[in-house]
Amino acid sequence: MEKKHCIIVTVVISLVIVFVAVVLEITLGKRTFKQEFEYRCSKFESSKKYNCTEIWHEFEKAYVNRDPCKIPMNACGSLVAVAHFEHAYNKTLFWSKTKNLVRDLTKNRDDVNLEKTLLGSVLDGLTWYGKMGSSETFTKGYPEWNECVNNPPRSFWNRLSTAFADVACEDHVTVILDGSIDTPFNPSTTFATIEVKRIKYPKVKSLTVVIVPQKSNCNNESLKALKNALVQGITYNCKEVTEAKIKKRSSDPKRPIGKCW
């Protein structure tokens, strides 16, 4: 009897410990991956237009119970479809090697870079993968970005970048490039390999390159390659803008991005 009593007490204590751990995890902000996904989705500005539960299920389908190095880009097609883009005309903003600068610029503006879309904001900074024979989502020990081409985050961001560029439909789009490096338009970046190739005329009539001049400026050789990569009909412009001026524009939300420079 005494032994049985001890077992019951032990079980109760274990359950209490688990409960306290879960409460502490939530209280301290240490959410599970799914909790973080759903939290970010619910906090998105236009979340009422989307079904976050459906989006999570479509997201899981792309990688759960699959080899983490064999997730093709098209595995994320249905996910992108249920979380379609909705942003205003003449608001599309691309970047390459300038993520933090663009984040600061658009924080108080309604211009839209990839990370300000629903899926972009939900998955920005997160890593995930699945394993064969498992229904779980793993976040540690994942394949590095360059370890295998078809890993879940890389395929996701490539697919999202494709869709983002496809919906660009405006008089002009802007891309902010890094002038502190020797090759602002690097042929291996997502902007070069995917986005530029998906910007089409007459949906888009011009592209403006904004570069923060340090090592490189508008005369950089790599920008000639960017100009040549544009489809016929799209005009090319380049403007050298200081980082201070870009940050200043973040406090001027009503000024169209194309007229900021």
Side-chain angles (χ1 to χ4, degrees), residues 194-241:
I194 293 177
E195 292 169 337
V196 166
K197 297 177 181 180
R198 310 293 298 197
I199 300 173
K200 303 297 183 182
Y201 179 85
K203 290 174 65 178
V204 174
K205 296 179 175 60
S206 71
L207 171 76
T208 296
V209 172
V210 172
I211 187 168
V212 180
Q214 292 180 39
K215 282 186 178 181
S216 304
N217 55 30
C218 285
N219 295 318
N220 186 273
E221 194 68 25
S222 71
L223 296 183
K224 294 179 181 178
L226 170 54
K227 184 177 180 180
N228 292 333
L230 296 175
V231 300
Q232 187 174 0
I234 297 179
T235 59
Y236 169 89
N237 303 288
C238 183
K239 296 184 178 182
E240 297 170 8
V241 184

Side-chain angles (χ1 to χ4, degrees), residues 156-202:
F156 164 76
W157 287 110
N158 285 344
R159 181 64 185 86
L160 197 65
S161 294
T162 299
F164 186 67
D166 282 345
V167 299
C169 182
E170 37 216 297
D171 291 335
H172 73 269
V173 295
T174 299
V175 58
I176 299 182
L177 301 181
D178 184 4
S180 69
I181 56 180
D182 294 326
T183 311
F185 180 64
N186 188 316
S188 66
T189 61
T190 301
F191 179 65
T193 58
I194 293 177
E195 292 169 337
V196 166
K197 297 177 181 180
R198 310 293 298 197
I199 300 173
K200 303 297 183 182
Y201 179 85

Side-chain angles (χ1 to χ4, degrees), residues 33-48:
F33 185 91
K34 182 180 179 181
Q35 288 171 338
E36 183 66 22
F37 184 103
E38 293 178 334
Y39 173 78
R40 291 187 182 190
C41 184
S42 67
K43 292 296 181 181
F44 188 71
E45 186 178 6
S46 304
S47 62
K48 291 182 180 179

Side-chain angles (χ1 to χ4, degrees), residues 124-142:
D124 187 26
L126 301 182
T127 53
W128 66 94
Y129 71 102
K131 292 180 180 179
M132 290 293 295
S134 174
S135 60
E136 294 184 52
T137 295
F138 300 91
T139 58
K140 295 180 180 179
Y142 54 87

